[in-house]
Each structure stands twice: as C-alpha cells, then as structure tokens.
Amino acid sequence: ILAFVTYVEMGTPDIIATPNPLYIDLTSKEVQCSQFSYDIILPKIEPELMTEIKTAKESLIPVTISLKKKLNYRYLKEKFSSFPRLRRRHEVAKILKEFAQEDQKPLLQYLKDLEIQGKVRNIKTFWINNSISCEIAPEELEKIADREDVGYIFKNKKLTLFGTKYLNSQIIGFESAEKDKAIVWNILAIKADSVWNLGYTGSGVLVAHLDTGVNYNHYDLQDHMWDGGSAYPNHGYDFGNNDNDPIDVNGHGTHTAGTIAGDGSAGTQTGVAPDAIIMALKIFDDAGNGDNTMMGQAVQFALDHDADLLSMSAGFPDPNNYIKDWSRQTASNLYAAGIPWIVAAGNGDLYDSEGDGDYHYTIPQDIYSPADVPPPWNPRDGNGNYGGGENAVIAVGALNQDSSRASFSSYGPTEWNTINYSDYPYPPGLIKPDIAAPGGSPGITSLDYSTNNGYVSGGTGTSMACPHVAGVVALMLQKNPSLTIAMIDSIIETTACDLGTSGKDNYYGSGMLDALTAVNATPQNSNFVTGNFYVINSGNATLNVYNIEKHRVWIVDVSPKIFTLTPGDTQIVSVTVDTTLINSIYEDTLLLYSNDPDENPYSERVILTTSPIFEEQRDTRNSTDIKIVSKIIHLYGKEITFILPESDFTTLELFNVEGRRIQLIAHEFMNAGQHKVTIPGNLRSGVYFLRIKQKSFSAISRIIIL
C-alpha cells in the first residue's frame, strides 16, 4: 500500500501595499524631513587613539575630526530629487560646501592658531562629510573633544588594496592590433561583448577611478582618459603625493582601469566598457600607503568634476564604528547627489590576524568599509527584512571562472549598530555583498603598468571584480544617462544570475553580474523617474504575487511583477514613469494578482504630478507677449507663424493631447519679430499643444491641425 502525504500550509496570506496611493510629484515642494542631523560617537575620542595619546609615541598624530552637525542627506535627496542629474550633483555639492564652510569656521580658526604654535600641521577640510583632518599634538586632542561642535575624533585609517601583487603572473607582450582582438574570459563570462554589439561601449561616461593611479600612456587607455585641461594635464590628481600626476608605479590601478575601459588597441580586449572615460584619482603614495583623507579628497574631486560614477578597489579592514560612520556619511551625500560608488567587498583577513586559520574576520567584521554601507536599492537584513538606509555604495564580491565564490572574497552579514546608525544590528545584520563578478581563479588579465602595450595575467581579488560592475554601470549610463542610483542597483541585482542560496545571500549577493541582461533591462528614455511602494504580507501563510498589471502608457515599467513573501515579509516594487507630460495630474491603478483569497486583484493607485509648463517670468512682461498668429494649421503645409518679443535662443515643442512631447520643432537662436516654421514629420489631424520658450518667457497654446 502506497500512501501519499501532501503538506498543506495552514493559514491565509494577506496583501497590503503602502503608500497607497503612491504619489510621484515632480513639482517644486517643501522638504518634509529635518535639514540637519547631529552625529556623536561615545567616547568622542576613539579608544585606540586615546591609548596612543597616553603613550605619546608621536609628536604629531594624524587624526580626523568629525563635526557634530551634519546636513541630513535625506533632506538633500528629497530637495533635489526631481532635478536633472548634472544639476542635482552641482546643487548638492554647492549646499554641502556652503554648510561646511560656515560650520567649520570656529574649529578651523582654533586649529590654525595651534598651527602657528607648531602644534598642528597639514590641515585638510572635507565638505563631503563635514570633517577636518590634521596632524596634531597629542595633548591638544582632549581639549578639542570637549568642544560642543565636535562629534568624534579618530586616528586616520589606512586604506588596503584588494588585489594580489601578481606574484604568479606573467607579462604578455605586444600583439598586433591588426589581428582579431582576443577577449579575456571574464569579459565573455559577463556577456559584455554582446552589449557592444548593441552599440553600447560606455562612450561619454566619466568613471572616477580611485586607486594607485593609472598608466595613462597605455595604448588601450590613452585616447579615452579624462581631459582635465591645463590644470590637470595628466588626466586626474595624485592625492598620495599631492601633485597633478597620478601615474601608476604599483600596477594595481592600471590593472583595474584596464578591466573598466581597456579597448584592446594593443591586441587584447580587457575592458567591460572600452570607450568609457577614466579619471585617474590616485589615493595611495608611491610606496602604497593610503588613508581615509586621500579617499575623501578624491571623492570630493570626483563630485566637483562631474564624474558619473566612482570605482574603488580598496577599503578599511575590520572597521570600527568611527571609520564606518565617517565612510557612511560620505556615501550618504554621494547618494543625495545621485552618484553610484562601486566598491570591492574586501579580501577577508589576508594575513590571518585573528590566528584562527580561516583568513576571514569574524562576522560581522569581514566586509570592509565603505563596502559595508547599505546599497542604493532594497537593503535587507539577514532575516530578509527591509531596513531602509539606502546609500550610494554597491559592494562587489569575487567569483572563480566556474562561478564559485573565490575563497578570499569577504562575506556578510555586516553590522550597523552605532549611535548614529542602528538600522542593521547584528544578529541578523545587513546582507552583503550586493553583487558578484569575476575576480578569482584562474586570475584576470589586464593592462601592464610598466609598458605601454603589454598585459599582465593572474591578478585575483575583489579588486579585480569591482571594475566589472563599474564597467557595466558605464554601459547602462550610456544607454540612459538619467538613471537614478536606485534604478542602477535594482537593475544590476534583479538581472544577476542567482548563485548559492536562493535570493540575495551573504556569499554571492544577488548573484553573478550579467551585463547583457542588465543593459537590455535599462530603459532607453532619459525622461524616466522611479517611485517605490512596499508590498507586505500581513497574513500567516506565504503570499505569491504572480502579476502586476498597469493600464496607462505613462507608466513605463513595474518591477518586479512576480515574487513570493513569507508572513511578515516586505517587497519593494519600483514604478517607472515618463516625465515628459504636460503640467497636470495623471492617475492609474495597478492591479496586483496574488493568492490572497480576499483581495485579488489588490488595487494600488499611482498618481503622477508633473512639473509646471510655464516657467517663472524674469520681468514685468508675461508670456502673452509671444503670439501665435494662427492656431489652425493645415496638414499640407504644417506652417506655424508666431511673433517673438525679443531676440533669444528659442525652443518650439509639440505635444499631443495626452501631454506627451512628439516633436522638437526648433531649438535655435531667433531674432525678435515674426517667424514661420514647418512642423516636420507625419501628423494626423487633431488637437495638439504648442510650447514656445525663451529664456524669459514660456507660452503654451492649443492648436488644431486639419
């Protein structure tokens, strides 16, 4: 007798979505969150530093002083969220600089007075996180810690590189570029070569490369290094030696830059985005010594000079709360500015400092900082719960060629349970890394720093994995320069090939990077923004959502549409909308189909409020000074006659009745007076809206085409 036993889950799933409705408001609005936050770590002086003060082995100690008052990055993000990407960067940087300049004045003057006395030297200011570094006499530190405007003080932290020194590698000589270019295995593994066939090579995307410098004369990089003009003739800056020549004398930086953007001119294709522009920011001196101050200066330089993303294969091992908080504050403001920071997860405990033989730090300390900072999209704790705290950092782990985890690759969870950040206490901690890419056996071949046409093989480390992700982000940004950080991270993670435990885990993150699927999933329109709502299973059985249905064309995408939630679990759902609609309020209702017996489908309203069509007038005249002579246009001629009140650069745009722009008719300088233009392309008869803009005026009028 055969008996079949079927397990039946008891209980009922219950779907809830919040906020409902989801408002995506592109108009100017008051920011609701607090403008400032106050960061203090107790004790104010890092314990290790306090011990050093008492022993006083150094006459001057290199320290970082973090001021207590900070600009709230959520305030900055919300205030400028609807701004175009480049303007958003500039506005966030401007406010950060103005705030830091004012807030740092009293402390800076105090330090300069000590400098005159020979008790302080090498003062550096950081507006990216409102801190000051200097070398200072030990006896002065407790006095500074007692100041009301100081949050905490720590000794400058040494940066660590995450790549081998190629001890078992070989230099591969020059090969004729006339031959077919060989493509290294790791580029093929992530399908980057298939993306090039779509026409995306990273062209025009500026990657700030924080490393040991770059051999900018290498044939595979020399024609797409950043043009820094006369101030930065060598394509970047050297913060280790404080000069404008970031030439690489180590090899690590040229290797990682080659994985981002090596174009194969010398015979071998090593780069994911072979036309991306490299900005060389050297954060180590020639002896390989780097610290948090060099990193902080480089981050500011990148933001100041319009980098589209940052790539850094370095970090701080076994980080304490002081460097964690300082790094997270830096990442938070990059997030507000809209710039992704791709960071290697770390190579564990390379020298087995704990003496336990596993060459990894004890959890939750194995992920280095700033890789331990929460990601831009959907951060989760070890129980799968959403904890918020989105930031700029995407952390990258390393894979072998067979897609197994490289043994050295740092793993999570990591922990956030400081005075200032307590969103991911351990246990269960924050899941890290976020994504994985090639960086393990048999090693990565890339550019040789010591020649201008050679290659070096055998490099391993999360250092080698990180630039793969940076390269893919460059490919995505070429396709759509207006992608938000959250969209970038969500696309990379949701299109990855899942490895290890199902879903995101602490060894592989969301899985193996897939360049082709990520770029195909990237929306092409540059006028998209994304809003998020949260689906919660408040029942006591598993909830299966198997489709989300939209109805209006202005909702471009809803993702994910299929997912499973255990009782109490939460899923972020991203709604991407088109922002080119005329000033109005648009509404749609998403239908979420699931196994909830009571609400199927569940309704989630989405309301989009677009930016005003009329711009502010700069003088007493108004937009009626722009006159359209005839509002009835004939199909056979399609001529529009209009009168301009002044000579200026003029834009004419045509919209359909749904508010979607369908034609850019003119975008050129026009003199004051009467003009005639012809509407290009094929149009059907019907009602349209014509917008005419000059610097001081904007007018919109309904026209009829017969």
Side-chain angles (χ1 to χ4, degrees), residues 258-291:
T259 300
I260 297 172
D263 68 4
S265 292
T268 300
Q269 184 73 59
T270 65
V272 175
D275 290 324
I277 304 165
I278 296 294
M279 174 191 286
L281 302 180
K282 188 172 178 177
I283 55 174
F284 294 85
D285 63 21
D286 290 348
N289 300 308
D291 64 19

PDB file of all heavy atoms in Angstrom, residues 258-291:
ATOM      1  N   GLY A 258      42.090  48.943 -16.588  1.00  0.00           N
ATOM      2  CA  GLY A 258      42.006  48.160 -17.814  1.00  0.00           C
ATOM      3  C   GLY A 258      40.771  47.285 -17.863  1.00  0.00           C
ATOM      4  O   GLY A 258      40.202  47.050 -18.936  1.00  0.00           O
ATOM      5  N   THR A 259      40.321  46.799 -16.706  1.00  0.00           N
ATOM      6  CA  THR A 259      39.098  45.993 -16.674  1.00  0.00           C
ATOM      7  C   THR A 259      37.866  46.859 -16.893  1.00  0.00           C
ATOM      8  O   THR A 259      36.867  46.405 -17.450  1.00  0.00           O
ATOM      9  CB  THR A 259      38.991  45.228 -15.343  1.00  0.00           C
ATOM     10  OG1 THR A 259      40.130  44.368 -15.214  1.00  0.00           O
ATOM     11  CG2 THR A 259      37.732  44.385 -15.282  1.00  0.00           C
ATOM     12  N   ILE A 260      37.935  48.108 -16.482  1.00  0.00           N
ATOM     13  CA  ILE A 260      36.820  49.015 -16.757  1.00  0.00           C
ATOM     14  C   ILE A 260      36.780  49.380 -18.235  1.00  0.00           C
ATOM     15  O   ILE A 260      35.741  49.247 -18.888  1.00  0.00           O
ATOM     16  CB  ILE A 260      36.927  50.309 -15.923  1.00  0.00           C
ATOM     17  CG1 ILE A 260      36.840  50.019 -14.429  1.00  0.00           C
ATOM     18  CG2 ILE A 260      35.815  51.298 -16.322  1.00  0.00           C
ATOM     19  CD1 ILE A 260      37.126  51.228 -13.554  1.00  0.00           C
ATOM     20  N   ALA A 261      37.938  49.811 -18.792  1.00  0.00           N
ATOM     21  CA  ALA A 261      37.877  50.508 -20.080  1.00  0.00           C
ATOM     22  C   ALA A 261      39.002  50.188 -21.049  1.00  0.00           C
ATOM     23  O   ALA A 261      39.190  50.919 -22.020  1.00  0.00           O
ATOM     24  CB  ALA A 261      37.844  52.019 -19.822  1.00  0.00           C
ATOM     25  N   GLY A 262      39.774  49.108 -20.840  1.00  0.00           N
ATOM     26  CA  GLY A 262      40.785  48.746 -21.826  1.00  0.00           C
ATOM     27  C   GLY A 262      40.140  48.415 -23.162  1.00  0.00           C
ATOM     28  O   GLY A 262      39.227  47.593 -23.226  1.00  0.00           O
ATOM     29  N   ASP A 263      40.598  49.058 -24.251  1.00  0.00           N
ATOM     30  CA  ASP A 263      39.890  48.908 -25.532  1.00  0.00           C
ATOM     31  C   ASP A 263      40.556  47.954 -26.514  1.00  0.00           C
ATOM     32  O   ASP A 263      40.101  47.797 -27.648  1.00  0.00           O
ATOM     33  CB  ASP A 263      39.681  50.277 -26.189  1.00  0.00           C
ATOM     34  CG  ASP A 263      40.977  50.932 -26.656  1.00  0.00           C
ATOM     35  OD1 ASP A 263      42.056  50.305 -26.554  1.00  0.00           O
ATOM     36  OD2 ASP A 263      40.909  52.090 -27.124  1.00  0.00           O
ATOM     37  N   GLY A 264      41.657  47.302 -26.103  1.00  0.00           N
ATOM     38  CA  GLY A 264      42.262  46.300 -26.976  1.00  0.00           C
ATOM     39  C   GLY A 264      43.153  46.846 -28.063  1.00  0.00           C
ATOM     40  O   GLY A 264      43.533  46.102 -28.971  1.00  0.00           O
ATOM     41  N   SER A 265      43.531  48.111 -28.002  1.00  0.00           N
ATOM     42  CA  SER A 265      44.366  48.686 -29.062  1.00  0.00           C
ATOM     43  C   SER A 265      45.690  47.949 -29.223  1.00  0.00           C
ATOM     44  O   SER A 265      46.250  47.883 -30.315  1.00  0.00           O
ATOM     45  CB  SER A 265      44.639  50.168 -28.777  1.00  0.00           C
ATOM     46  OG  SER A 265      43.457  50.924 -28.900  1.00  0.00           O
ATOM     47  N   ALA A 266      46.206  47.381 -28.133  1.00  0.00           N
ATOM     48  CA  ALA A 266      47.469  46.646 -28.200  1.00  0.00           C
ATOM     49  C   ALA A 266      47.257  45.157 -28.457  1.00  0.00           C
ATOM     50  O   ALA A 266      48.213  44.392 -28.433  1.00  0.00           O
ATOM     51  CB  ALA A 266      48.264  46.850 -26.914  1.00  0.00           C
ATOM     52  N   GLY A 267      46.013  44.745 -28.680  1.00  0.00           N
ATOM     53  CA  GLY A 267      45.786  43.375 -29.118  1.00  0.00           C
ATOM     54  C   GLY A 267      44.849  42.540 -28.293  1.00  0.00           C
ATOM     55  O   GLY A 267      44.308  41.557 -28.784  1.00  0.00           O
ATOM     56  N   THR A 268      44.612  42.878 -27.018  1.00  0.00           N
ATOM     57  CA  THR A 268      43.746  42.059 -26.167  1.00  0.00           C
ATOM     58  C   THR A 268      42.673  42.930 -25.527  1.00  0.00           C
ATOM     59  O   THR A 268      42.977  43.960 -24.925  1.00  0.00           O
ATOM     60  CB  THR A 268      44.559  41.352 -25.066  1.00  0.00           C
ATOM     61  OG1 THR A 268      45.530  40.502 -25.682  1.00  0.00           O
ATOM     62  CG2 THR A 268      43.657  40.508 -24.183  1.00  0.00           C
ATOM     63  N   GLN A 269      41.435  42.496 -25.646  1.00  0.00           N
ATOM     64  CA  GLN A 269      40.300  43.252 -25.127  1.00  0.00           C
ATOM     65  C   GLN A 269      40.088  42.902 -23.661  1.00  0.00           C
ATOM     66  O   GLN A 269      39.670  41.802 -23.322  1.00  0.00           O
ATOM     67  CB  GLN A 269      39.041  42.913 -25.922  1.00  0.00           C
ATOM     68  CG  GLN A 269      37.820  43.710 -25.532  1.00  0.00           C
ATOM     69  CD  GLN A 269      37.894  45.140 -26.017  1.00  0.00           C
ATOM     70  OE1 GLN A 269      37.998  45.399 -27.205  1.00  0.00           O
ATOM     71  NE2 GLN A 269      37.844  46.077 -25.084  1.00  0.00           N
ATOM     72  N   THR A 270      40.374  43.855 -22.766  1.00  0.00           N
ATOM     73  CA  THR A 270      40.259  43.595 -21.328  1.00  0.00           C
ATOM     74  C   THR A 270      39.138  44.368 -20.661  1.00  0.00           C
ATOM     75  O   THR A 270      38.781  44.070 -19.521  1.00  0.00           O
ATOM     76  CB  THR A 270      41.568  43.972 -20.606  1.00  0.00           C
ATOM     77  OG1 THR A 270      41.772  45.394 -20.717  1.00  0.00           O
ATOM     78  CG2 THR A 270      42.759  43.223 -21.187  1.00  0.00           C
ATOM     79  N   GLY A 271      38.578  45.384 -21.332  1.00  0.00           N
ATOM     80  CA  GLY A 271      37.651  46.295 -20.678  1.00  0.00           C
ATOM     81  C   GLY A 271      36.193  45.986 -20.930  1.00  0.00           C
ATOM     82  O   GLY A 271      35.795  45.631 -22.039  1.00  0.00           O
ATOM     83  N   VAL A 272      35.375  46.151 -19.891  1.00  0.00           N
ATOM     84  CA  VAL A 272      33.929  45.962 -19.997  1.00  0.00           C
ATOM     85  C   VAL A 272      33.305  47.080 -20.826  1.00  0.00           C
ATOM     86  O   VAL A 272      32.415  46.843 -21.644  1.00  0.00           O
ATOM     87  CB  VAL A 272      33.294  45.936 -18.591  1.00  0.00           C
ATOM     88  CG1 VAL A 272      31.771  45.862 -18.678  1.00  0.00           C
ATOM     89  CG2 VAL A 272      33.841  44.767 -17.780  1.00  0.00           C
ATOM     90  N   ALA A 273      33.761  48.312 -20.614  1.00  0.00           N
ATOM     91  CA  ALA A 273      33.222  49.489 -21.308  1.00  0.00           C
ATOM     92  C   ALA A 273      34.376  50.182 -22.020  1.00  0.00           C
ATOM     93  O   ALA A 273      34.938  51.162 -21.515  1.00  0.00           O
ATOM     94  CB  ALA A 273      32.546  50.426 -20.315  1.00  0.00           C
ATOM     95  N   PRO A 274      34.786  49.689 -23.197  1.00  0.00           N
ATOM     96  CA  PRO A 274      36.049  50.114 -23.812  1.00  0.00           C
ATOM     97  C   PRO A 274      36.116  51.566 -24.257  1.00  0.00           C
ATOM     98  O   PRO A 274      37.199  52.033 -24.622  1.00  0.00           O
ATOM     99  CB  PRO A 274      36.185  49.166 -25.011  1.00  0.00           C
ATOM    100  CG  PRO A 274      34.800  48.679 -25.288  1.00  0.00           C
ATOM    101  CD  PRO A 274      34.114  48.623 -23.968  1.00  0.00           C
ATOM    102  N   ASP A 275      35.002  52.281 -24.222  1.00  0.00           N
ATOM    103  CA  ASP A 275      35.037  53.701 -24.576  1.00  0.00           C
ATOM    104  C   ASP A 275      34.709  54.608 -23.395  1.00  0.00           C
ATOM    105  O   ASP A 275      34.579  55.829 -23.566  1.00  0.00           O
ATOM    106  CB  ASP A 275      34.068  53.989 -25.729  1.00  0.00           C
ATOM    107  CG  ASP A 275      34.545  53.398 -27.045  1.00  0.00           C
ATOM    108  OD1 ASP A 275      35.770  53.401 -27.280  1.00  0.00           O
ATOM    109  OD2 ASP A 275      33.706  52.910 -27.823  1.00  0.00           O
ATOM    110  N   ALA A 276      34.554  54.041 -22.204  1.00  0.00           N
ATOM    111  CA  ALA A 276      34.321  54.875 -21.025  1.00  0.00           C
ATOM    112  C   ALA A 276      35.549  55.738 -20.762  1.00  0.00           C
ATOM    113  O   ALA A 276      36.681  55.369 -21.082  1.00  0.00           O
ATOM    114  CB  ALA A 276      34.012  54.004 -19.814  1.00  0.00           C
ATOM    115  N   ILE A 277      35.338  56.900 -20.170  1.00  0.00           N
ATOM    116  CA  ILE A 277      36.419  57.847 -19.887  1.00  0.00           C
ATOM    117  C   ILE A 277      36.918  57.617 -18.461  1.00  0.00           C
ATOM    118  O   ILE A 277      36.120  57.562 -17.520  1.00  0.00           O
ATOM    119  CB  ILE A 277      35.924  59.289 -20.051  1.00  0.00           C
ATOM    120  CG1 ILE A 277      35.348  59.497 -21.461  1.00  0.00           C
ATOM    121  CG2 ILE A 277      37.044  60.287 -19.779  1.00  0.00           C
ATOM    122  CD1 ILE A 277      34.521  60.763 -21.594  1.00  0.00           C
ATOM    123  N   ILE A 278      38.231  57.488 -18.306  1.00  0.00           N
ATOM    124  CA  ILE A 278      38.819  57.234 -16.991  1.00  0.00           C
ATOM    125  C   ILE A 278      39.405  58.519 -16.409  1.00  0.00           C
ATOM    126  O   ILE A 278      40.249  59.172 -17.027  1.00  0.00           O
ATOM    127  CB  ILE A 278      39.922  56.160 -17.075  1.00  0.00           C
ATOM    128  CG1 ILE A 278      39.334  54.816 -17.517  1.00  0.00           C
ATOM    129  CG2 ILE A 278      40.641  56.025 -15.735  1.00  0.00           C
ATOM    130  CD1 ILE A 278      38.391  54.186 -16.525  1.00  0.00           C
ATOM    131  N   MET A 279      38.949  58.882 -15.221  1.00  0.00           N
ATOM    132  CA  MET A 279      39.541  59.966 -14.435  1.00  0.00           C
ATOM    133  C   MET A 279      40.425  59.308 -13.374  1.00  0.00           C
ATOM    134  O   MET A 279      39.929  58.600 -12.498  1.00  0.00           O
ATOM    135  CB  MET A 279      38.451  60.815 -13.771  1.00  0.00           C
ATOM    136  CG  MET A 279      38.975  61.884 -12.822  1.00  0.00           C
ATOM    137  SD  MET A 279      37.641  62.629 -11.836  1.00  0.00           S
ATOM    138  CE  MET A 279      36.852  63.659 -13.074  1.00  0.00           C
ATOM    139  N   ALA A 280      41.733  59.504 -13.462  1.00  0.00           N
ATOM    140  CA  ALA A 280      42.681  58.824 -12.577  1.00  0.00           C
ATOM    141  C   ALA A 280      42.840  59.595 -11.269  1.00  0.00           C
ATOM    142  O   ALA A 280      43.414  60.686 -11.252  1.00  0.00           O
ATOM    143  CB  ALA A 280      44.028  58.678 -13.274  1.00  0.00           C
ATOM    144  N   LEU A 281      42.342  59.027 -10.181  1.00  0.00           N
ATOM    145  CA  LEU A 281      42.454  59.645  -8.862  1.00  0.00           C
ATOM    146  C   LEU A 281      43.287  58.725  -7.979  1.00  0.00           C
ATOM    147  O   LEU A 281      42.824  57.669  -7.544  1.00  0.00           O
ATOM    148  CB  LEU A 281      41.063  59.884  -8.266  1.00  0.00           C
ATOM    149  CG  LEU A 281      40.144  60.771  -9.114  1.00  0.00           C
ATOM    150  CD1 LEU A 281      38.793  60.952  -8.442  1.00  0.00           C
ATOM    151  CD2 LEU A 281      40.791  62.126  -9.394  1.00  0.00           C
ATOM    152  N   LYS A 282      44.519  59.116  -7.756  1.00  0.00           N
ATOM    153  CA  LYS A 282      45.487  58.287  -7.029  1.00  0.00           C
ATOM    154  C   LYS A 282      45.333  58.530  -5.532  1.00  0.00           C
ATOM    155  O   LYS A 282      45.567  59.643  -5.045  1.00  0.00           O
ATOM    156  CB  LYS A 282      46.900  58.621  -7.504  1.00  0.00           C
ATOM    157  CG  LYS A 282      47.991  57.707  -6.971  1.00  0.00           C
ATOM    158  CD  LYS A 282      49.313  58.012  -7.679  1.00  0.00           C
ATOM    159  CE  LYS A 282      50.452  57.155  -7.150  1.00  0.00           C
ATOM    160  NZ  LYS A 282      51.711  57.401  -7.894  1.00  0.00           N
ATOM    161  N   ILE A 283      44.944  57.482  -4.791  1.00  0.00           N
ATOM    162  CA  ILE A 283      44.694  57.635  -3.356  1.00  0.00           C
ATOM    163  C   ILE A 283      45.722  56.870  -2.519  1.00  0.00           C
ATOM    164  O   ILE A 283      45.480  56.575  -1.347  1.00  0.00           O
ATOM    165  CB  ILE A 283      43.261  57.202  -2.997  1.00  0.00           C
ATOM    166  CG1 ILE A 283      42.974  55.773  -3.462  1.00  0.00           C
ATOM    167  CG2 ILE A 283      42.253  58.171  -3.591  1.00  0.00           C
ATOM    168  CD1 ILE A 283      41.613  55.235  -3.004  1.00  0.00           C
ATOM    169  N   PHE A 284      46.860  56.558  -3.136  1.00  0.00           N
ATOM    170  CA  PHE A 284      47.992  55.933  -2.448  1.00  0.00           C
ATOM    171  C   PHE A 284      49.266  56.658  -2.881  1.00  0.00           C
ATOM    172  O   PHE A 284      49.356  57.136  -4.017  1.00  0.00           O
ATOM    173  CB  PHE A 284      48.114  54.451  -2.818  1.00  0.00           C
ATOM    174  CG  PHE A 284      46.973  53.603  -2.338  1.00  0.00           C
ATOM    175  CD1 PHE A 284      45.811  53.486  -3.094  1.00  0.00           C
ATOM    176  CD2 PHE A 284      47.055  52.919  -1.135  1.00  0.00           C
ATOM    177  CE1 PHE A 284      44.755  52.709  -2.658  1.00  0.00           C
ATOM    178  CE2 PHE A 284      46.001  52.135  -0.690  1.00  0.00           C
ATOM    179  CZ  PHE A 284      44.845  52.034  -1.449  1.00  0.00           C
ATOM    180  N   ASP A 285      50.252  56.720  -1.984  1.00  0.00           N
ATOM    181  CA  ASP A 285      51.531  57.268  -2.417  1.00  0.00           C
ATOM    182  C   ASP A 285      52.314  56.190  -3.163  1.00  0.00           C
ATOM    183  O   ASP A 285      51.834  55.061  -3.344  1.00  0.00           O
ATOM    184  CB  ASP A 285      52.315  57.846  -1.234  1.00  0.00           C
ATOM    185  CG  ASP A 285      52.703  56.799  -0.187  1.00  0.00           C
ATOM    186  OD1 ASP A 285      52.748  55.591  -0.513  1.00  0.00           O
ATOM    187  OD2 ASP A 285      52.970  57.192   0.970  1.00  0.00           O
ATOM    188  N   ASP A 286      53.513  56.514  -3.594  1.00  0.00           N
ATOM    189  CA  ASP A 286      54.273  55.578  -4.424  1.00  0.00           C
ATOM    190  C   ASP A 286      54.715  54.336  -3.663  1.00  0.00           C
ATOM    191  O   ASP A 286      55.058  53.316  -4.268  1.00  0.00           O
ATOM    192  CB  ASP A 286      55.491  56.284  -5.023  1.00  0.00           C
ATOM    193  CG  ASP A 286      55.093  57.305  -6.077  1.00  0.00           C
ATOM    194  OD1 ASP A 286      53.916  57.289  -6.494  1.00  0.00           O
ATOM    195  OD2 ASP A 286      55.951  58.126  -6.468  1.00  0.00           O
ATOM    196  N   ALA A 287      54.693  54.403  -2.336  1.00  0.00           N
ATOM    197  CA  ALA A 287      55.042  53.239  -1.521  1.00  0.00           C
ATOM    198  C   ALA A 287      53.819  52.376  -1.217  1.00  0.00           C
ATOM    199  O   ALA A 287      53.931  51.363  -0.526  1.00  0.00           O
ATOM    200  CB  ALA A 287      55.701  53.686  -0.220  1.00  0.00           C
ATOM    201  N   GLY A 288      52.653  52.791  -1.712  1.00  0.00           N
ATOM    202  CA  GLY A 288      51.435  52.012  -1.495  1.00  0.00           C
ATOM    203  C   GLY A 288      50.685  52.365  -0.232  1.00  0.00           C
ATOM    204  O   GLY A 288      49.809  51.615   0.207  1.00  0.00           O
ATOM    205  N   ASN A 289      50.987  53.520   0.363  1.00  0.00           N
ATOM    206  CA  ASN A 289      50.303  53.946   1.583  1.00  0.00           C
ATOM    207  C   ASN A 289      49.178  54.915   1.246  1.00  0.00           C
ATOM    208  O   ASN A 289      49.391  55.918   0.559  1.00  0.00           O
ATOM    209  CB  ASN A 289      51.291  54.631   2.535  1.00  0.00           C
ATOM    210  CG  ASN A 289      52.426  53.718   2.940  1.00  0.00           C
ATOM    211  OD1 ASN A 289      52.199  52.599   3.389  1.00  0.00           O
ATOM    212  ND2 ASN A 289      53.662  54.182   2.766  1.00  0.00           N
ATOM    213  N   GLY A 290      47.992  54.610   1.735  1.00  0.00           N
ATOM    214  CA  GLY A 290      46.849  55.490   1.543  1.00  0.00           C
ATOM    215  C   GLY A 290      46.019  55.531   2.805  1.00  0.00           C
ATOM    216  O   GLY A 290      46.123  54.649   3.661  1.00  0.00           O
ATOM    217  N   ASP A 291      45.189  56.553   2.951  1.00  0.00           N
ATOM    218  CA  ASP A 291      44.332  56.622   4.135  1.00  0.00           C
ATOM    219  C   ASP A 291      43.009  57.288   3.789  1.00  0.00           C
ATOM    220  O   ASP A 291      42.750  57.645   2.636  1.00  0.00           O
ATOM    221  CB  ASP A 291      45.038  57.338   5.292  1.00  0.00           C
ATOM    222  CG  ASP A 291      45.357  58.807   5.015  1.00  0.00           C
ATOM    223  OD1 ASP A 291      44.745  59.402   4.104  1.00  0.00           O
ATOM    224  OD2 ASP A 291      46.214  59.372   5.721  1.00  0.00           O
TER     225      ASP A 291
END
